[in-house]
Amino acid sequence: MASFGTAPKAPGMGEDSRQPNETVSIRSEKVPSTKSPSLNNYESAAVTDREAEASLRLKIDLYILPTISLLYLFCFIDRANIGNARLAGIEKDLNMTGYDYNMVLSIFYISYIVFEMPATLLCKWMGPGWFLPLVTLGFGMASIFCSLTHTTAQISGVRFVLGIFEAGVMPGMAYYLSRWYRRAELVFRLSLYIVMAPLAGAFGGLLASGILKLHNFGMFESWRMIFAIEGIITVGLSLIAFVTLTDRPDTARWLTEVEKDLAISRVKSERISQTQVLDKMGKKKLILGIISPVTLVTSVIFLLDNITVQGLGFFLPTIVRTIYPQYTVIQQQLYTVPPYVVGAFFTVLLPLISWRLDNRQAVIISSVPLTMTGYIIFLATKNPQARFAATFLIASGIFAAGPLTNAQVSANVVTDTARSSAIGTNVMLGNVGGLISTWSFLPYDGPDYPIGNGLNLATTSLMFILATLLLVWMRADNRKRDSRDVEAELASLSANEIEDLDWKHPDFRWKP
């Protein structure tokens, strides 16, 4: 792991929204801070000095992304390892019958969805430097407790608690990174931790295979070892994160004062009429983040995508078992790895393309046909080799929607508060898709699962349609905004009222 500087947390575990080195950036105007006369120059440098900006960006990457990525890797492993435990006999040992397994999966998403938005707002109030390590400690402990369960009711209860702790992880991390990166840069950085979702499928399968080769781990045997060992690793990572994560640029000891100024001005330069990077939470800003047309439609797209993402995580081991029933459990675990590796590659490649193009919507649209093709193959043939090949196409198209949609809702609001609620909404609706996925592959539908595969083909097709229509609408609405009289609309408003306009500001343009 990279070397990290220790960063102080905000006093009292809350966040001070006041920034020490601020400028007002409204279009081309630069109003220098009274505290730091040099910041005006560095706000200009944020746009003109590409070398200094690239150096700062790399430094931020090296200090933040390794910790974030490892936390999310084990967040996804601790969520999806029940699929590996299923192959290792958890259903038999806990006397699961009928739809018990699907119920255990669903109970996780109930708490996940209910606590999604409260957790995201708590992350802003508390500060990510405290919030993310705390919730990681919580879901690591929940994974350990899964290994101690002996009935379906017990593991359902623990999985409910697991959902509470994991609820704020994905939106919290996306919101956290939005404090550090420009709009175009953000999508690629989101991909560098969200790529841990497919890698968790690959690494989780390998780790589960290695764990199952052990005779026992203390008092634990078989599938119990999977939960216990992976939970202990997660707890260890959470303790490291308490030291390595810092809330925001101005509290980072590993940045010089000049670098802090540049980091703050980079982010602020893209926010219309904002006098501070981290504003105080307000009801109006929260609502604007939620009701933004881009937030709402993109969140539905993520909901549809997550039906496939989470379904693949939970049921790929089961699908592999139906394709290769003659193989041993360990061999079946290993066969779940290659599709995730390919999916991980595309999870980084597509956001990288998006970063270079500074366009997220077109990349979302172009990625969906890969997944659609995979499900067409599943429905069209029972050939094991063809169906296994189809899992590679599915994995190639679905995982990149995580960073792309979160970056899209983040790019299309202005204030920090609206950004937190927009990301929270996107992930909350996304996890409604996760809840649906737990019922997409039912026992009576096996071994070919035509209903489950047909559902996923339908949802990915609808994704394609909605994403295309949203792009058309964004461009049309931007043309309408070009004809508005900005000065006349703002003339009667105070500075605070102008700040609160967010995406309703007449000078704001949707960013595809």
Side-chain angles (χ1 to χ4, degrees), residues 84 106 118 156 182 216 240 255 341 371 511:
N84 302 110
S106 296
S156 295
R182 288 182 179 274
N216 67 285
I240 295 172
L255 291 178
V341 173
T371 303
K511 306 166 186 71

Side-chain angles (χ1 to χ4, degrees), residues 279-290:
D279 60 314
K280 293 182 179 179
M281 282 195 293
K283 182 179 178 180
K284 185 174 182 179
K285 297 172 187 176
L286 289 171
I287 293 174
L288 284 172
I290 295 170

Side-chain angles (χ1 to χ4, degrees), residues 206-227:
L206 290 172
L207 185 58
S209 299
I211 290 172
L212 291 175
K213 289 181 179 179
L214 301 174
H215 182 267
N216 67 285
F217 176 69
M219 60 181 285
F220 303 105
E221 296 180 354
S222 185
W223 57 269
R224 298 182 186 276
M225 294 190 297
I226 297 176
F227 289 118

